[in-house]
Amino acid sequence: MSDSRPAEPAGACFALQVAGVVARIETPGPQWAAPLVEQYRAFLAGDTPTWRVRLAHAPELAPTDTPWIRHQGPVTRFRLLSLAGTVDLAAHTATVEMPDPGWAQSALERALTYVLMLVLPRRYQGLLLHAAGIVLDGLGHLFAGPSGAGKTTLAGLAQGVGEVLSDENVVVRLA
């Protein structure tokens, strides 16, 4: 007896390193991984991963108007827009489901952001901040604020004058 379901394409994996945290990213296939690898090329790592982040295809996942997040010990479950996921701090794993590859970047960033917010202060003497980071005349400048405060505008004004590190998230660590 044979299985009549079509075979799932082989997944594609790569590793990213952000502020010392190395994560193995597992995707449903190369068409999912290729744009992510291109987007995060500066963070590609050859080091041994300490985290596993799995992006899963869930075509039946419908958008929700009521986002939620629930914590139970080291496990956090969430539902947001067209994403559903689990982050397990004890097992060093995260899984995010989405209906199509168009959500892969958002899914990956949400999972890694949550991991970094919790892991950086505990293990790496660092913080992940919602901020713009700019280097001017050899000095780093950090501009934090809520959405709409002007971080992206400031980063745009700094283009060509200084080095813009980010207009969204910045990691700071004790040196």
Side-chain angles (χ1 to χ4, degrees):
M1 182 188 295
S2 67
D3 187 349
S4 61
R5 291 178 296 159
E8 278 287 317
C13 303
F14 57 96
L16 296 177
Q17 179 174 330
V18 179
V21 177
V22 182
R24 173 186 165 92
I25 313 303
E26 300 173 0
T27 70
Q31 74 280 10
W32 290 65
L36 296 173
V37 167
E38 184 59 34
Q39 176 73 28
Y40 302 107
R41 183 165 303 285
F43 298 96
L44 291 175
D47 298 340
T48 303
T50 54
W51 275 83
R52 176 179 168 239
V53 176
R54 187 172 71 89
L55 304 180
H57 187 208
E60 71 287 352
L61 193 62
T64 182
D65 291 330
T66 311
W68 54 264
I69 187 167
R70 295 188 183 104
H71 307 284
Q72 184 174 9
V75 178
T76 297
R77 289 177 175 44
F78 64 90
R79 184 74 165 83
L80 175 67
L81 304 170
S82 290
L83 303 173
T86 303
V87 178
D88 187 330
L89 294 172
H92 291 216
T93 62
T95 299
V96 185
E97 298 177 334
M98 70 221 71
D100 63 69
W103 285 93
Q105 180 179 347
S106 178
L108 178 57
E109 288 184 6
R110 289 182 190 281
L112 287 178
T113 296
Y114 187 79
V115 167
L116 290 170
M117 284 187 328
L118 295 169
V119 172
L120 287 176
R122 289 174 173 85
R123 298 212 173 119
Y124 296 93
Q125 295 185 323
L127 294 173
L128 176 70
L129 300 174
H130 186 217
I134 302 168
V135 177
L136 295 169
D137 299 324
L139 296 174
H141 301 273
L142 182 77
F143 302 92
S147 295
K151 296 178 300 298
T152 300
T153 300
L154 189 62
L157 292 170
Q159 290 286 351
V161 178
E163 178 186 2
V164 177
L165 303 174
S166 174
D167 69 349
E168 183 66 26
N169 291 311
V170 176
V171 173
V172 293
R173 293 175 65 185
L174 291 176

